[in-house]
Amino acid sequence: MVFPAAIILSGFPMKYAFNAALVPLFGTMGAAWATIISLAIITAFLGVKLRKVLPLKLLSIRFIGALIAASLAMILFLKGYLYLTGFIYSMIDSERMGAAVQSLSAVFLGGLLFLFIMIRSSVFHEEELALFPFGSKLILFLPKEDRSHKYVKHN
């Protein structure tokens, strides 16, 4: 299993090279793009290796559709949420504190919405959700026809 470690280690000089090329042109946005490009290349190499090791179909059309739908719903929700909660800055004396409250609540709510849509889309099986923290609670979000109640804890 030297391959994954070698690929991940190759990410450091790769990111450095992308930073050297993009930061002088675009500043901090160049650094962000250097990170994204480096991680995408690493992910592609590791994905190719994983497909050779595990001959399973990793991404179904259903999963990709649910992922796109959940992502779009989260983006639209967050755009609206950030627009509607812009008043927080005026309510709290510190702009930093207002920004922190707004951003942390947006991350929490956006993440919940994304997770809810992914679970309701039946992308995960009950056995997979049971492995998550609070998995027995997440299973309750599955459509009723996809639940066996095998993993749901009753009080």
Side-chain angles (χ1 to χ4, degrees), residues 69-79 106-107 109-111 113-114 117:
S71 297
L72 289 175
M74 184 178 66
I75 289 168
L76 292 173
F77 169 78
L78 289 176
K79 288 287 190 183
V107 165
L109 294 172
L113 176 66
F114 182 86
I117 293 171

